[in-house]
Amino acid sequence: GLLRIDHVGIAVADLDEAIDFYERTFGMRCVHRETNDEQQVREAMLAVGPEGGVVQLLAPTGPGSAIAKFLDRSGPGVQQVAYTVRDVTAAAAALRERGLRLLYDEPRRGTGGSLINFVHPKDAGGVLIELVQPAGA
Ligand code: V0V
């Protein structure tokens, strides 16, 4: 089952500019930055406040990136909603059993050594859903 909202992912063209905007406008704090070559993204995690809640800013590193395609089609904005799960393989299998298309046969590497998979947005009411099994879980 789903444990909680892990993060909300927002596609941006310029990562540094977006970090600056979120920090200065909303007082969020950048707590992690990473480049994910497989996903062709540069990303930053911004903590919303002391109670938790994280926004993930995603910028493309190349034209083949899912984020590049999203920006071309839709412009900047919310690209995904991610949920934390204990076991991404089991969660993916359960959703497949309910008839949803998962994007990967096997989980791939996400932020901070997490394991991730995605539900196709056309099978989830137009929302790209990410499943996140945190590192060490
Ligand atoms: C595409 N569509 C979306 C969408 N992307 N709808 C809602 N949210 C999105 N993000 C719609 C699109 O408008 C089309 O609708 C339809 O889906 C099919 O589009 P498509 O051209 O066939 O598909 P693509 O080539 O745009 O690819 C869409 C998918 C792609 C979801 C398959 O973006 C993907 O593989 N995403 C998973 C990987 C990813 O997003 N990586 C970046 C984040 P119409 O026009 O047919 O109605 S990496 C990350 O989150 C990390 C590292 C982490 O959290 O740790």
Side-chain angles (χ1 to χ4, degrees):
L2 307 179
L3 298 178
R4 68 187 84 90
I5 292 178
D6 193 273
H7 62 266
V8 173
I10 297 172
V12 303
D14 184 318
L15 189 66
D16 296 314
E17 200 174 280
I19 293 170
D20 192 57
F21 173 77
Y22 276 86
E23 286 185 334
R24 294 207 293 167
T25 310
F26 300 113
M28 293 188 196
R29 197 163 44 89
C30 182
V31 291
H32 183 74
R33 293 178 72 130
E34 184 172 332
T35 299
N36 186 320
D37 290 324
E38 185 180 27
Q39 294 289 340
Q40 295 186 57
V41 295
R42 285 177 66 217
E43 48 140 311
M45 289 297 199
L46 283 104
V48 175
E51 303 285 301
V54 192
V55 167
Q56 179 184 46
L57 303 176
L58 293 155
T61 57
S65 166
I67 300 302
K69 193 158 184 193
F70 184 90
L71 289 171
D72 281 346
R73 179 160 36 207
S74 315
V78 175
Q79 188 257 352
Q80 56 169 263
V81 175
Y83 298 100
T84 312
V85 297
R86 214 179 301 283
D87 179 340
V88 68
T89 304
L95 294 176
R96 252 187 230 110
E97 211 155 276
R98 288 164 203 165
L100 277 62
R101 281 169 294 168
L102 277 290
L103 295 185
Y104 308 141
D105 290 337
E106 300 293 334
R108 296 190 184 170
R109 205 188 59 73
T111 311
S114 59
L115 290 172
I116 62 175
N117 205 337
F118 294 86
V119 176
H120 195 286
K122 290 296 173 189
D123 291 350
V127 178
L128 175 62
I129 292 181
E130 181 181 8
L131 305 172
V132 182
Q133 176 183 324

